[in-house]
């Protein structure tokens, strides 16, 4: 198990190093002069020179890269050009919105998708299966921002059950969770459809195994066959896809947070792109990368717990 974990950690670290090189190159090298990108072509030469000196853009590329890596390791990410405040504090203040939103969306997706996938596999090639597959086709086809607007019109404007947008802050936990329900539902629509299809496919494969037929031959109830014998093995690919979805949810929050005006990391990225705040963009992208790698590492551990074969081979 320790060897298995060490190999996964080493792979994650290599991926992270490569990601920092790519992000640094895309944000600070390929566009040319970062100061010119941030201030525009109409900026005065003395203003450009002052900005280069302030943020170290006048230093060699390798020095700038190593300073950035050192800042990542010490959580000293510098100051935002647009906001004039610490990037670490700026991102930290926004994460308390984005992470709960993504977790709520992932929890809702799993809560809905897994039972639907099991039901569709149980009713294979019957009306129940066709209905679930039709629903997943709609979920994949409908953009989540459009679904969010529909939810606002229905539940915020017409029935006034939920707020149309905004976030009151975690000083009022119940109101904060209440404000995140519609955004989480919007964010999870496509993920519910994907996870339902994966669960259905995994369950169909598992239900064809010999041990399932043996359990039925011994007189086990259909409920026990589905949830005790089949579902645990079917959860192995489902867990893998759920881990990928978790990364997509964090990145996909950019649009949903804009629709609902939530002060999360997604809204921060949107505003930073408009403000040409390269320092914030660079660090947020790496933050997303670290979050995705962390989730994938947790998925690998969960995979090893559900299926001991990788653990034994390691």
């Amino acid at each position: 198990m320790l060897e298995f974990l060490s190999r996964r950690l080493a792979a994650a670290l290599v991926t992270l190093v490569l990601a920092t090189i790519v992000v640094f190159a895309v944000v600070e090298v390929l566009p040319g002069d970062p100061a010119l990108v941030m201030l525009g072509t109409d900026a005065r030469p003395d203003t450009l020179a002052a900005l280069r000196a302030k943020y170290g853009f006048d230093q060699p590329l390798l020095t700038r890269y190593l300073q950035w890596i050192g800042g990542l390791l010490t959580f000293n990410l510098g100051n935002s050009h647009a906001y004039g405040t610490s990037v670490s504090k700026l991102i930290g203040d926004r994460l308390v919105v984005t992470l709960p939103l993504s977790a709520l969306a992932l929890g809702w997706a799993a809560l809905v998708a897994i039972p639907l996938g099991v039901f569709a596999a149980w009713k294979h090639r019957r009306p129940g299966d066709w209905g679930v597959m039709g629903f997943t086709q709609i979920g994949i086809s409908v953009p989540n921002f459009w679904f969010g607007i529909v939810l606002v019109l229905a539940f915020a404007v017409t029935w006034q059950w939920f707020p149309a947008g905004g976030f009151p802050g975690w000083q009022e936990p119940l109101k904060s969770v209440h404000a995140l329900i519609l955004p989480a539902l919007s964010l999870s629509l496509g993920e519910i459809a994907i996870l339902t299809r994966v669960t259905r496919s995994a369950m169909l494969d598992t239900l064809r195994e010999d041990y399932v037929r043996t359990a039925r031959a011994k007189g086990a109830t259909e409920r026990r066959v589905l949830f005790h014998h089949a579902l645990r093995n079917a959860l192995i690919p489902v867990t893998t896809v759920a881990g990928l979805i978790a990364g997509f949810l964090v990145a996909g929050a950019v649009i949903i947070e804009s629709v609902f005006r939530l002060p999360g990391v997604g809204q921060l990225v949107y505003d930073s792109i408009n403000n040409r705040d390269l320092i914030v963009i660079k660090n947020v992208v790496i933050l997303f990368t670290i979050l995705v790698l962390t989730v994938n590492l947790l998925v690998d551990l969960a995979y090893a717990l559900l299926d001991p074969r990788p653990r034994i081979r390691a």
Side-chain angles (χ1 to χ4, degrees):
M1 183 65 176
L2 289 177
E3 184 180 352
F4 174 80
L5 180 59
S6 62
R7 289 167 58 184
R8 292 296 186 271
L9 282 173
L13 287 175
V14 171
T15 304
L16 183 58
V17 170
L18 293 176
T20 59
I21 295 172
V22 172
V23 170
F24 181 82
V26 170
V27 174
E28 292 200 15
V29 179
L30 296 182
D33 186 354
L36 199 61
V37 174
M38 294 167 73
L39 296 179
T41 55
D42 297 331
R44 293 167 45 185
D46 57 337
T47 306
L48 290 171
L51 189 69
R52 292 189 191 103
K54 180 179 180 180
Y55 292 106
F57 295 147
D58 54 352
Q59 298 181 9
L61 287 176
L62 181 60
T63 302
R64 284 156 50 193
Y65 173 76
L66 293 177
Q67 286 177 346
W68 178 45
I69 296 300
L72 287 174
L73 295 175
T74 58
F75 300 101
N76 180 18
L77 306 180
N79 292 325
S80 164
H81 162 67
Y83 294 92
T85 186
S86 167
V87 175
S88 300
K89 183 179 185 306
L90 203 59
I91 295 176
D93 291 343
R94 304 302 184 96
L95 276 178
V96 298
V97 178
T98 299
L99 290 182
L101 172 63
S102 302
L104 191 60
L106 182 61
W108 175 247
L111 187 66
V112 173
I114 292 176
L116 277 181
V118 173
F119 175 78
W122 181 42
K123 299 293 185 181
H124 184 47
R125 294 181 179 174
R126 285 182 281 179
D129 184 22
W130 301 335
V132 172
M133 288 299 98
F135 163 75
T136 60
Q137 192 62 46
I138 294 173
I140 293 172
S141 305
V142 172
N144 56 11
F145 67 87
W146 182 86
F147 184 56
I149 295 172
V150 171
L151 289 179
V152 168
L153 291 174
F155 294 100
V157 176
T158 303
W159 294 319
Q160 298 183 358
W161 292 352
F162 298 95
F167 187 75
W170 288 111
Q171 297 83 359
E172 302 177 272
L174 292 179
K175 288 185 178 180
S176 299
V177 173
H178 192 236
L180 293 178
I181 289 177
L182 288 187
L185 289 176
S186 307
L187 189 58
S188 65
L189 177 64
E191 280 62 35
I192 288 174
I194 294 171
L195 205 57
T196 299
R197 285 176 171 265
V198 172
T199 304
R200 173 183 176 272
S201 177
M203 283 293 295
L204 287 175
D205 290 340
T206 305
L207 289 172
R208 297 188 183 102
E209 295 290 338
D210 291 338
Y211 66 86
V212 173
R213 286 194 289 267
T214 302
R216 282 174 171 157
K218 288 182 176 180
T221 63
E222 195 66 14
R223 179 190 179 96
R224 183 171 178 81
V225 168
L226 288 173
F227 292 99
H228 182 75
H229 295 283
L231 183 58
R232 177 172 179 179
N233 287 323
L235 283 178
I236 295 172
V238 172
T239 302
T240 302
V241 174
L244 296 175
I245 285 175
F248 294 149
L249 287 174
V250 174
V254 174
I255 298 176
I256 293 300
E257 288 177 0
S258 298
V259 171
F260 288 91
R261 298 307 299 174
L262 295 174
V265 177
Q267 185 64 39
L268 176 63
V269 171
Y270 179 79
D271 293 338
S272 298
I273 291 173
N274 288 334
N275 295 326
R276 305 176 188 176
D277 201 344
L278 300 183
I279 298 172
V280 174
I281 295 171
K282 175 178 64 177
N283 287 295
V284 168
V285 171
I286 281 300
L287 170 66
F288 283 168
T289 303
I290 292 172
L291 288 175
V292 171
L293 288 175
T294 302
V295 170
N296 287 337
L297 182 61
L298 293 175
V299 167
D300 286 338
L301 293 176
Y303 188 94
L305 293 174
L306 289 170
D307 184 359
R309 287 174 295 180
R311 218 170 35 207
I312 294 170
R313 285 196 297 268

